[in-house]
Amino acid sequence: MGVKTEKLLSILTLQPVIPVLAVDSVATAIPLARALVAGGLKAIEITLRTEAALDAIRAVADEVEGAEVGSGTILNAAQFEKAMRAGSKFIVTPGTTQELLDVSRKAPVPLLPGAATVSEVMSLREEGYSVMKFFPAEQSGGAAFLKSVSSPLAGTSFCPTGGITPANAKSYLSLPNVVCVGGSWVAPKELVTAGDWKAITRLAEEACALTAS
């Protein structure tokens, strides 16, 4: 199936911020996803950091109109396959292994592979990837790092994730090699626990309004 760059970009370019979610229950996954979609955030990453994650992905894929749900924190081929079977439209990894690259090539869904160093980016470029997750962004040099590699690694685009906030998101989004950013601030745990979906929709709308200007 190849690298599927166009399919990945069609998802990542839907909005400036991809919500990165750790979902504790299926019961909250559906109204949470609906609140995010209502605010304009259609592409949603649910991380495999909770026991409910796969069921939550399946529920959102089946029941939330307009959502493009993906799976994050995928660490091996087995998780990749399970996430895909649950209905994931895209797969996100914190780093990259040959096992993940191999399973991705045969899969119909695109992979957003993680990289944090110039050498990792170069290795992924050799595998045909031009769009990558930069993680953990703030801890790995932040926007200054991405700006410094934009010329030597021309033609490579990134979705920085890790430590991104409304305060620093614009510094990333202003860079020509940044497609979007990943962030968890659009779904704070206290709002999810309280079931304050209107407040989450407002945060989603504010995230959609984030631009380089």
Side-chain angles (χ1 to χ4, degrees):
M1 300 292 293
V3 172
K4 302 168 282 290
T5 302
E6 287 185 11
K7 187 181 285 189
L8 178 63
L9 283 174
S10 72
I11 295 169
L12 298 183
T13 54
L14 287 172
Q15 61 218 38
V17 180
I18 306 291
V20 180
L21 312 177
V23 179
D24 292 321
S25 75
V26 178
T28 59
I30 293 173
L32 171 56
R34 284 179 177 152
L36 291 167
V37 171
L41 299 183
K42 296 179 180 181
I44 299 166
E45 176 189 334
I46 296 178
T47 62
L48 259 64
R49 299 180 190 179
T50 67
E51 291 185 8
L54 288 171
D55 288 336
I57 290 162
R58 189 174 291 108
V60 172
D62 290 345
E63 300 185 39
V64 182
E65 186 176 352
E68 296 282 340
V69 64
S71 302
T73 321
I74 300 296
L75 304 179
N76 53 54
Q79 290 182 336
F80 192 116
E81 298 278 4
K82 287 177 182 177
M84 194 166 55
R85 285 197 297 270
S88 296
K89 300 284 184 68
F90 62 102
I91 301 290
V92 186
T93 61
T96 312
T97 65
Q98 193 59 51
E99 179 188 28
L100 285 166
L101 293 175
D102 290 344
V103 70
S104 174
R105 287 201 178 279
K106 302 169 189 173
V109 300
L111 169 67
L112 178 63
T117 68
V118 171
S119 293
E120 289 170 0
V121 173
M122 290 171 64
S123 294
L124 283 168
R125 282 163 58 108
E126 287 183 357
E127 295 284 346
Y129 289 87
S130 58
V131 184
M132 305 169 200
K133 172 181 178 176
F134 177 50
F135 176 83
E138 279 292 284
Q139 296 83 355
S140 300
F145 174 87
L146 291 179
K147 184 176 183 180
S148 69
V149 301
S150 62
S151 180
L153 298 177
T156 310
S157 298
F158 298 92
C159 172
T161 305
I164 313 291
T165 68
N168 62 21
K170 285 187 178 183
S171 65
Y172 287 94
L173 292 168
S174 67
L175 300 174
N177 58 345
V178 169
V179 180
C180 59
V181 300
S184 58
W185 80 84
V186 291
K189 191 172 280 285
E190 60 271 19
L191 292 182
V192 174
T193 301
D196 193 344
W197 310 124
K198 288 184 178 179
I200 288 174
T201 294
R202 285 196 297 273
L203 288 174
E205 290 170 346
E206 290 168 8
C208 279
L210 283 172
T211 62
S213 60

